[in-house]
Amino acid sequence: GKPGGEFIWQSYGDVGGSTEMVRIRNAGVHQLGGLTHDSLYEFNNGKPQFEPTTDSVAPNLATALPEQSPDQLTYTVKLKPGVKFHNVPPTNGREMTAEDVKYTFEAYAQAPFSAFRNDYVWFDSIQVPDNSTVVIKTKYPFADTIQSLAGKDDGEILAREHLEGPDTARTLVGTGPYIFVSYDAPNFTTYRKNPDYHTRGIPYFDTIKRTGN
């Protein structure tokens, strides 16, 4: 195949008029966000070399799988350098740091407005020793900790200024391979290629349109 062109993605339907990722529990919105956002880890299912049912993960914004303490209560994650949020308001291409990761998981797990708190009963705290390291502590040994750090229906790394800004229910802004262009409910969500994506060689398409009807 040759990179470029437009891909039209016929999905299951419209997500309901909002792109809010934390206050509303909507798997469809996180499907949309799968193009615009990255997570610390990503699931391997869907890759040709893996079984479709695998629950294994690979690094995305992390440089490697986390270092685990012997008691399985502490996970140290090193972050990929040079990752930037999309060069659109309100982030305007600023660099992602460990503070963004800390903010994200505290929002999902502990914010009063989060619709995902029940999914994070294992989560105790997150610390930032430096700009490229986060240390996640669990309340008890939890077998799915690493999978919980991989984006699917939640877990995408967020920018505080976007989540707390006026456009959080109308736009998507992350570090992902595609930049949000528009959401014309219920017809199309349109994306364009992120020219500054941190992983070389992707994405392939210049634009993507997801149908909602």
Side-chain angles (χ1 to χ4, degrees):
K2 181 179 178 181
E6 179 176 84
F7 178 72
I8 297 178
W9 167 21
Q10 183 176 357
S11 191
Y12 64 87
D14 183 52
V15 300
S18 174
T19 57
E20 169 57 52
M21 297 184 74
V22 178
R23 293 171 177 83
I24 300 173
R25 192 180 185 92
N26 187 334
V29 171
H30 291 268
Q31 186 186 80
L32 301 183
L35 294 176
T36 56
H37 287 67
D38 290 311
S39 303
L40 294 178
Y41 301 98
E42 61 183 10
F43 284 96
N44 285 319
N45 57 340
K47 300 177 183 179
Q49 65 269 39
F50 292 94
E51 291 294 324
T53 56
T54 184
D55 63 353
S56 66
V57 302
N60 187 353
L61 293 177
T63 60
L65 293 178
E67 177 185 332
Q68 300 180 47
S69 63
D71 62 7
Q72 299 183 36
L73 297 178
T74 303
Y75 294 76
T76 301
V77 180
K78 293 289 186 178
L79 303 179
K80 185 182 293 186
V83 175
K84 295 181 179 181
F85 284 102
H86 296 156
N87 191 18
V88 297
T91 54
N92 295 319
R94 73 167 176 85
E95 187 169 347
M96 186 207 76
T97 71
E99 288 291 343
D100 295 300
V101 178
K102 181 176 187 291
Y103 172 78
T104 293
F105 284 102
E106 288 180 342
Y108 277 118
Q110 299 172 338
F113 56 78
S114 174
F116 295 87
R117 285 181 293 173
N118 287 342
D119 294 336
Y120 286 86
V121 293
W122 56 270
F123 178 89
D124 182 65
S125 64
I126 183 168
Q127 301 169 356
V128 178
D130 56 60
N131 280 342
S132 61
T133 308
V134 293
V135 178
I136 298 166
K137 294 184 178 295
T138 67
K139 295 176 182 175
Y140 45 80
F142 180 52
D144 291 332
T145 297
I146 299 177
Q147 282 75 15
S148 297
L149 303 179
K152 183 177 178 288
D153 295 333
D154 62 289
E156 302 92 342
I157 302 305
L158 310 168
R160 178 194 291 265
E161 60 264 48
H162 179 255
L163 182 64
E164 298 181 3
D167 296 324
T168 188
R170 298 189 294 271
T171 64
L172 294 162
V173 179
T175 63
Y178 284 92
I179 297 171
F180 173 90
V181 175
S182 62
Y183 169 39
D184 303 311
N187 298 316
F188 287 106
T189 307
T190 304
Y191 308 82
R192 60 183 172 88
K193 182 177 182 177
N194 178 7
D196 301 316
Y197 193 51
H198 54 81
T199 300
R200 293 184 180 273
I202 54 175
Y204 303 120
F205 298 107
D206 290 335
T207 59
I208 290 180
K209 285 188 176 181
R210 177 194 182 276
T211 66
N213 56 10

